[in-house]
Amino acid sequence: MTEKIYRIGGMDCANCAREVQEGVSRLKGVRDVRVDFITEKMTLDGDVPFDTLKKRVEALGKTLADPDDADHEHEAEDGHHHQDAASGPTTGGVIGFVRYLANEQETRLALIGGGIILATLVLTLMGLPGNSANLIYIVATAIALAPIARSGLKTLFINHDFNINLLMTIAAIGAILIGDTLEAATVVFLFAVGEALEGFTSDRARNSLRGLMELAPATAIRILSSEFQVLSQNSKQPAAQFEEVVPVESLKVGDTILVNPGERVAMDGEVLSGESGVNQAPITGESMPVRKSVGAEVFAGSINGDGALTLKVTRLAADNTLSRIIRMVEEAQSVRAPSQRMIDKFARWYTPGIVIIATLVALVPPLLFKAPFYNPGDGTQGWLYRALELLVIACPCSLVISTPVTIISAITAAARRGVLIKGGAHLESLAEVKAIAFDKTGTLTHGRPAVTNIRSVDCPTGEQCEKCDDVLALASSVEKRSTHPLAKSVVQAAQERGLDTVYAPAEKVETLAGRGVQGQVNGKLVTIGSHNLFDAQYPHSTELCDLVRKEEAQGQTTMLLSEGDRVRGYIALADEVRPDSRDAIRDLRALGVQTVMLTGDNSAVAQAVGKAVGVNDVRAELLPADKVDAVNSLLREYGTVGMVGDGVNDTPALAAATVGVAMGGAGSGQALETADIALMADDLKQLPYAIELARFARRLIRQNITVSLGLKLAFMLLALAGGASLWLAVFADVGMSLIVTTNGMRPLRFRR
């Protein structure tokens, strides 16, 4: 059975997700289950009937939607605090929070209980007897406490675990037993409203992710006839008859769609007609619109500018660039950060431990030291009351939520800038990076080298001649079968000179990893490769060596060519350094990150490029395996290393590094799939931003953990000293959750 994804409703805090995951994992037939609090999704691998699954989730106080039945989706939506049928998404402010409260049964009952408490207080001032008031307070407590107690008890029976609802239930019943009925009712009311406020705040954190999902429109204008423009221009029929508005899910690869000026692009596509400036910032983070004309690639979610575009759909809705980004941002939650895994393990033992400690606090002083068990009449607190305070204060919600909200906020903020970080673990690793290795071609340089010189050993003048043209024609014959950037440049140069058809495409072409390529042309073996390869295998004159070294000293890349056993000459190419490379390297060095360039190119070219961009170290003439060795040596030296590359050749080195960063994720599905981090717009300047964002998120996580544990400890000591109250305990618990949630959302507003 394949994995299924279900929508879970009604989760107020990260601990709720843990409870659902634990409860579902105990069902027969479940092989694996993951519940993400931020995305409100449960991924299940197993053979479990939906009705059984739904019954278990609802027993834990949440809602579940069947992924195979659209009608069930509404059931889960009823459990989503963030929306209802009338109002749509929750807005901020008091009005949004009141709407949020009214949308959930638990808080509706709490509001009823709060109204009863307020009315009873007024009646007490008007002379209502104390016994009658106490009875009404107990009724108000029962109304507001019912769903809380039900959730706590079911979690205990199903998961054999104590949650905050059970702790609150014990505290409220204990307060009633010692006669503090008004305090019990008020505490339950404050707790229910506080939990709702937690959920409201957490839901606003989720909205950062929903913002990505709303970038692409749900419908598109499909063109029914490729001739509609001609017909409409001749006024024979209105253009509308040749267009239809359809859901994006119904579009197929090859369909033609129309994007009017100012509209969002619905699908990934190739421009068939029209020209316009397109704002790609939602996908790639580029600040300026990019001019698109016939043949250009356009991404779903980008915003069309001043001209209408006709596009050929190149990817299905589920596979377009925006969908992949959203899916990977969601999946990033499953790649938990080390700090999050540590907290989850800690919380599993923390709550039962607090229950044991509270029991000892209630019993040991009265039994061993004759301290008061109940509250004495002199205004001091008994040890049972202090133990109840301890139960409420010790709720782990603020601790459990301290990390995931920060991580999803940082990942979403990065995605808005065109940096896709595929998990909290990679975010934390990026914050720890001390050195970064860069591939040269296509990463620090444009990767589009141009042929600058061709020289045949038979050239009589040293200027371009027929012998030199023949070297280029032979090289083009072999390079037509290669996908390397240098090969494309050679073929392009041959086409510009009309030499690409002199020889038929080579046969039996074989790549010499990191050294060159060879193939059969007219029955002869033609080899194109590096100077090192020819020094080792193809003897050539000292004069040719001097010419090649002279080209390389000027920063040129050279490829020698042989036909059979005879060396025919060389081709020199130059690759322009990216303008953003210098700025990115400068910013990284300012952050204390060591920069190293790894390349298979010769030392002279590598040193010239390295000097131009300003890296700390250059390592040249490396085969793919040598790049892996170089990364491993950096790992031994620095401990945490990033690797930035742009292609398949860099995959082994990307995998060997602590963090692999791929260039050009927006245009390459493979880059999106293989790397830990993808720079969607080929913009290296986003790398220093991502590192600063990761370090900022790491600081926030540490702040949240420190504040949560520190304040809890302080309030626990205050409770043990008799200086707190149940009201204060509730405010402390809810207040800490709000503090860490709000602090964890700060990456959404992060600026360098």
Side-chain angles (χ1 to χ4, degrees):
M1 178 179 176
T2 58
E3 287 187 337
K4 275 193 174 183
I5 298 177
Y6 300 83
R7 177 71 67 84
I8 304 291
M11 294 193 295
D12 290 323
C13 70
N15 207 45
C16 296
R18 187 181 66 82
E19 290 172 4
V20 174
Q21 181 170 305
E22 176 68 20
V24 171
S25 69
R26 294 175 180 270
L27 290 172
K28 184 179 179 181
V30 174
R31 288 184 286 273
D32 184 49
V33 60
R34 300 186 305 277
V35 179
D36 292 326
F37 165 64
I38 292 293
T39 61
E40 299 175 289
K41 290 183 178 180
M42 176 174 70
T43 305
L44 177 72
D45 179 13
D47 301 299
V48 185
F50 176 75
D51 290 341
T52 302
L53 193 61
K54 183 180 179 185
K55 184 177 179 181
R56 172 58 55 90
V57 173
E58 290 181 345
L60 294 167
K62 312 299 181 288
T63 60
L64 180 73
D66 187 348
D68 296 328
D69 189 346
D71 293 336
H72 282 292
E73 189 71 24
H74 301 294
E75 299 177 21
E77 295 297 342
D78 290 339
H80 287 184
H81 297 305
H82 64 273
Q83 68 183 63
D84 59 36
S87 62
T90 294
T91 57
V94 176
I95 295 176
F97 182 54
V98 170
R99 185 180 295 162
Y100 188 94
L101 289 175
N103 192 44
E104 178 66 19
Q105 180 185 9
E106 186 173 311
T107 49
R108 286 198 295 266
L109 291 175
L111 291 174
I112 293 172
I116 294 174
I117 295 170
L118 184 61
T120 307
L121 283 172
V122 173
L123 291 173
T124 302
L125 294 175
M126 297 172 62
L128 182 71
N131 290 337
S132 298
N134 286 337
L135 182 60
I136 296 175
Y137 289 141
I138 291 174
V139 172
T141 303
I143 291 173
L145 188 62
I148 298 172
R150 188 186 309 117
S151 171
L153 290 172
K154 286 187 176 180
T155 300
L156 178 64
F157 294 143
I158 294 172
N159 293 354
H160 311 303
D161 194 10
F162 293 88
N163 68 1
I164 181 57
N165 291 334
L166 183 60
L167 300 184
M168 195 65 228
T169 301
I170 296 171
I173 293 173
I176 291 173
L177 292 177
I178 62 178
D180 289 328
T181 54
L182 173 59
E183 186 165 8
T186 307
V187 163
V188 171
F189 168 73
L190 291 175
F191 172 75
V193 174
E195 286 288 288
L197 187 57
E198 266 186 50
F200 179 73
T201 308
S202 298
D203 210 62
R204 296 188 70 183
R206 290 189 185 108
N207 284 338
S208 65
L209 179 57
R210 294 190 190 109
L212 287 176
M213 300 179 184
E214 295 168 0
L215 287 176
T219 60
I221 301 173
R222 178 164 57 190
I223 297 174
L224 299 177
S225 171
S226 60
E227 301 175 356
F228 84 101
Q229 292 173 314
V230 176
L231 292 172
S232 60
Q233 288 170 2
N234 294 334
S235 300
K236 292 181 180 179
Q237 295 187 49
Q241 292 187 14
F242 299 92
E243 303 170 5
E244 62 176 350
V245 178
V246 297
V248 293
E249 291 80 7
S250 67
L251 292 171
K252 303 184 293 294
V253 174
D255 281 354
T256 304
I257 62 173
L258 175 67
V259 185
N260 289 312
E263 291 183 345
R264 284 193 181 274
V265 178
M267 301 285 284
D268 283 5
E270 178 186 334
V271 178
L272 295 179
S273 66
E275 184 175 349
S276 181
V278 176
N279 179 3
Q280 298 186 153
I283 307 300
T284 64
E286 293 167 289
S287 58
M288 298 297 292
V290 179
R291 204 70 190 168
K292 300 289 185 179
S293 57
V294 175
E297 184 177 14
V298 181
F299 304 120
S302 54
I303 304 169
N304 190 20
D306 52 356
L309 294 175
T310 304
L311 307 180
K312 180 178 72 175
V313 175
T314 55
R315 295 188 184 97
L316 297 175
D319 298 324
N320 66 37
T321 303
L322 180 61
S323 296
R324 296 204 307 272
I325 292 172
I326 293 169
R327 185 167 59 250
M328 289 178 182
V329 170
E330 289 183 335
E331 291 172 353
Q333 285 299 292
S334 63
V335 187
R336 293 181 178 270
S339 59
Q340 191 171 350
R341 291 196 297 268
M342 178 192 70
I343 289 171
D344 288 344
K345 290 179 181 178
F346 176 73
R348 185 175 296 275
W349 298 100
Y350 169 78
T351 306
I354 288 296
V355 172
I356 294 172
I357 292 172
T359 303
L360 295 175
V361 167
L363 298 178
V364 171
L367 291 176
L368 298 184
F369 304 104
K370 297 182 179 181
F373 182 69
Y374 295 105
N375 290 352
D378 58 2
T380 59
Q381 296 177 355
W383 286 93
L384 174 60
Y385 188 87
R386 300 182 195 195
L388 296 177
E389 293 173 350
L390 196 63
L391 287 178
V392 177
I393 293 170
C395 168
C397 286
S398 62
L399 183 63
V400 173
I401 206 173
S402 60
T403 300
V405 168
T406 307
I407 287 174
I408 194 61
S409 296
I411 288 174
T412 304
R416 290 175 178 172
R417 290 282 296 266
V419 181
L420 182 60
I421 302 173
K422 295 169 61 176
H426 307 312
L427 182 73
E428 287 201 357
S429 295
L430 186 63
E432 301 286 346
V433 160
K434 296 179 176 61
I436 296 181
F438 293 87
D439 173 54
K440 178 182 76 70
T441 305
T443 302
L444 293 175
T445 64
H446 281 295
R448 298 189 299 270
V451 173
T452 57
N453 192 19
I454 307 156
R455 184 68 178 270
S456 168
V457 294
D458 301 320
C459 179
T461 63
E463 302 292 335
Q464 194 75 27
C465 66
E466 291 184 2
K467 300 291 186 181
C468 296
D469 286 345
D470 194 54
V471 169
L472 179 60
L474 268 177
S476 171
S477 172
V478 178
E479 297 287 22
K480 285 177 182 177
R481 303 300 192 188
S482 175
T483 59
H484 194 279
L486 296 179
K488 294 179 180 179
S489 299
V490 169
V491 173
Q492 182 178 352
Q495 290 172 342
E496 292 172 353
R497 291 169 170 79
L499 302 173
D500 56 313
T501 58
V502 173
Y503 296 98
E507 300 176 347
K508 300 180 181 179
V509 176
E510 178 183 358
T511 298
L512 308 174
R515 298 182 295 168
V517 64
Q518 61 185 16
Q520 296 284 340
V521 180
N522 292 340
K524 291 186 177 181
L525 182 65
V526 175
T527 302
I528 308 165
S530 66
H531 196 185
N532 285 343
L533 172 67
F534 274 68
D535 278 342
Q537 298 185 16
Y538 296 92
H540 49 279
S541 67
T542 304
E543 181 184 1
L544 182 62
C545 262
D546 292 340
L547 289 172
V548 168
R549 291 195 181 99
K550 183 178 179 181
E551 299 276 9
E552 292 173 348
Q554 296 174 359
Q556 309 286 313
T557 297
T558 58
M559 302 187 302
L560 281 78
L561 180 141
S562 67
E563 184 180 21
D565 294 330
R566 182 170 179 264
V567 176
R568 292 285 308 276
Y570 71 86
I571 300 172
L573 304 95
D575 188 7
E576 187 179 3
V577 172
R578 291 175 182 267
D580 58 357
S581 296
R582 302 179 183 89
D583 296 336
I585 298 298
R586 180 198 63 217
D587 292 346
L588 288 171
R589 295 182 67 171
L591 292 173
V593 177
Q594 295 294 306
T595 55
V596 181
M597 188 180 79
L598 308 180
T599 179
D601 220 331
N602 66 77
S603 296
V605 172
Q607 291 296 336
V609 174
K611 183 178 180 181
V613 299
V615 294
N616 296 103
D617 188 17
V618 174
R619 304 188 185 187
E621 301 180 6
L622 302 178
L623 300 177
D626 297 327
K627 290 185 179 181
V628 175
D629 292 339
V631 170
N632 287 330
S633 71
L634 291 171
L635 284 168
R636 288 190 293 271
E637 184 175 355
Y638 295 104
T640 309
V641 174
M643 171 68 193
V644 185
D646 70 314
V648 178
N649 292 338
D650 301 317
T651 302
L654 291 172
T658 312
V659 182
V661 182
M663 297 285 289
S668 169
Q670 186 169 13
L672 275 175
E673 299 296 336
T674 58
D676 303 320
I677 297 172
L679 303 180
M680 305 298 288
D682 274 0
D683 186 359
L684 274 179
K685 292 197 297 292
Q686 298 298 345
L687 187 56
Y689 157 79
I691 292 176
E692 287 191 74
L693 176 65
R695 291 179 179 180
F696 180 63
R698 179 183 61 182
R699 289 198 300 272
L700 294 183
I701 290 171
R702 290 175 177 175
Q703 289 173 10
N704 283 345
I705 294 173
T706 302
V707 168
S708 182
L709 289 177
L711 288 180
K712 280 187 183 297
L713 180 60
F715 278 108
M716 286 179 186
L717 294 175
L718 189 62
L720 291 175
S725 67
L726 284 175
W727 296 7
L728 182 61
V730 171
F731 278 124
D733 169 52
V734 174
M736 280 184 284
S737 294
L738 294 178
I739 288 171
V740 299
T741 301
T742 304
N743 196 42
M745 292 173 64
R746 287 173 61 195
L748 293 171
R749 302 183 298 276
F750 176 76
R751 296 289 183 273
R752 289 189 65 196

